Amino acid sequence: MDSLDWMDVLQIAPDTVEDEEKEFDGPGAEGTAVNGLPTPPPSDSGSPEDDTANDVTLSVSTAFHPESNLSASRPDVALLSSDGIFFYVHSYHVLAASSNNFASLLPASPGHIFNDHGPIIPVPESGDVLNVVAHTVYNMSCSHYTPSIDTLIASVHALHKYGMHPKSLITPSTPLFTLILAQAPLAPIHFYALAGAYDLKDLAVPVSSHLLGYRLSSLTDELAVLMGPIYLKRLFFLHLGRMDALRRLLLSPPHPHPPSAECNFTEQKRLTRAWALASAYLAWDARPDMSTSIMESALHSLCDCLRCTECKKSLNDRVHELVVQWSIVKRTV
């Protein structure tokens, strides 16, 4: 490659050179120092010391580099992230996954810069995001890079932007689905909204189980718009349905036992009234995520005002039945 070509390549990513060297070592894609790409020495330079001063290091993805064994053929295009990281991929592989020719960036036009490994395509996404996108295209796991929540969300939007339909790429059998689901407890409402935006029902259902304690009053307009009316309705119905089910379960008091010399029907009405007061208290503070321990604690305390052994047994049986019924109420959208 002549001197002009080298200068063209280096001009595409001026931010990749700081103090003569920079390596990408962030969470999105580990960097590797690719040497052997020095700036050609000036024609009038006769000192070898000048060569050392002009040496630079380019940042290249360790997973997607020119010598990676991702396919039988060598990568033929380099995607350059906004922070100066090179990702060498196969254009046919990317185009097969994209319905809009990678946002009309592929095939490369004559206006793009070319090097020994093909055209260089600059993209506005960061290296972290582009790393997740590239791994998803190749159906590879990137969990060892521990991408952040914001990176995962931005990556799904990037997939959509580049014509790679999230609904077909984020399924229970894919690495990205598993990675998002593992992060879901940390930001469930954001991942649920993301699932709603692209109709990812298989993802929205398990994520919604982490939203039972979410206060719907804190839902922002942006998240509501992102998830759309259908998934917003499903979330509201999940909360309202569970609270309605809890109130219905609390209505039935403990079953009365046959009257005895120690406890007649009049005495048993004390238990019925106490149950009504305790259940009203629970129903007033009903929440979709109410724990069974809270229910047991509030209702078992009624035993303190009972003297009849049969009444106590009836109360314990009713509380156990209530806990079982509450545990099987639907917990997902």
Side-chain angles (χ1 to χ4, degrees), residues 1-291:
M1 181 179 289
D2 58 27
S3 174
L4 181 59
D5 288 339
W6 277 115
M7 293 304 297
D8 288 341
V9 172
L10 296 179
Q11 287 173 4
I12 189 63
D15 294 337
T16 61
V17 181
E18 296 182 3
D19 299 328
E20 301 181 352
E21 275 195 354
K22 175 184 177 183
E23 294 184 7
F24 180 68
D25 196 20
E30 296 179 2
T32 179
V34 179
N35 296 317
L37 298 178
T39 304
S43 57
D44 58 347
S45 173
S47 171
E49 295 180 358
D50 293 339
D51 296 345
T52 303
N54 289 326
D55 282 352
V56 296
T57 300
L58 301 182
S59 299
V60 179
S61 166
T62 54
F64 301 93
H65 55 85
E67 304 301 326
S68 59
N69 296 319
L70 301 174
S71 181
S73 58
R74 293 168 60 89
D76 61 349
V77 62
L79 303 179
L80 179 61
S81 66
S82 60
D83 48 356
I85 315 301
F86 286 85
F87 292 79
Y88 289 86
V89 295
H90 302 82
S91 59
Y92 68 86
H93 207 98
V94 176
L95 289 172
S98 174
S99 62
N100 63 2
N101 291 336
F102 202 68
S104 300
L105 294 176
L106 292 175
S109 64
H112 284 104
I113 296 174
F114 286 73
N115 64 11
D116 291 341
H117 304 288
I120 299 175
I121 310 295
V123 296
E125 283 72 27
S126 67
D128 290 347
V129 172
L130 194 55
N131 182 57
V132 177
V133 170
H135 276 80
T136 302
V137 170
Y138 282 84
N139 197 31
M140 297 163 54
S141 174
C142 59
S143 59
H144 52 290
Y145 295 108
T146 60
S148 66
I149 292 171
D150 290 339
T151 295
L152 288 174
I153 293 175
S155 299
V156 175
H157 291 313
L159 288 172
H160 174 73
K161 169 186 173 181
Y162 292 116
M164 303 171 187
H165 304 295
K167 194 169 185 177
S168 60
L169 292 174
I170 307 176
T171 63
S173 61
T174 60
L176 184 56
F177 181 96
T178 303
L179 182 57
I180 292 177
L181 198 58
Q183 297 272 26
L186 303 177
I189 189 61
H190 292 88
F191 284 121
Y192 180 82
L194 184 70
Y198 299 107
D199 192 23
L200 307 176
K201 183 179 178 181
D202 289 336
L203 180 63
V205 170
V207 170
S208 65
S209 66
H210 301 292
L211 289 172
L212 297 180
Y214 181 77
R215 292 190 177 276
L216 296 178
S217 59
S218 64
L219 185 65
T220 64
D221 293 343
E222 292 77 13
L223 287 174
V225 171
L226 179 61
M227 70 177 64
I230 294 179
Y231 283 83
L232 178 62
K233 182 190 74 172
R234 291 175 181 174
L235 181 59
F236 268 80
F237 278 22
L238 171 63
H239 279 230
L240 296 175
R242 282 184 61 84
M243 289 190 292
D244 181 63
L246 177 59
R247 295 188 181 101
R248 285 187 285 105
L249 292 174
L250 289 169
L251 284 177
S252 301
H255 299 292
H257 61 82
S260 63
E262 297 180 354
C263 185
N264 54 28
F265 283 122
T266 303
E267 289 292 328
Q268 292 182 52
K269 288 183 180 179
R270 295 178 58 190
L271 174 58
T272 301
R273 289 193 296 268
W275 177 274
L277 289 173
S279 62
Y281 165 77
L282 290 173
W284 180 263
D285 290 333
R287 291 175 54 86
D289 64 335
M290 179 173 286
S291 66

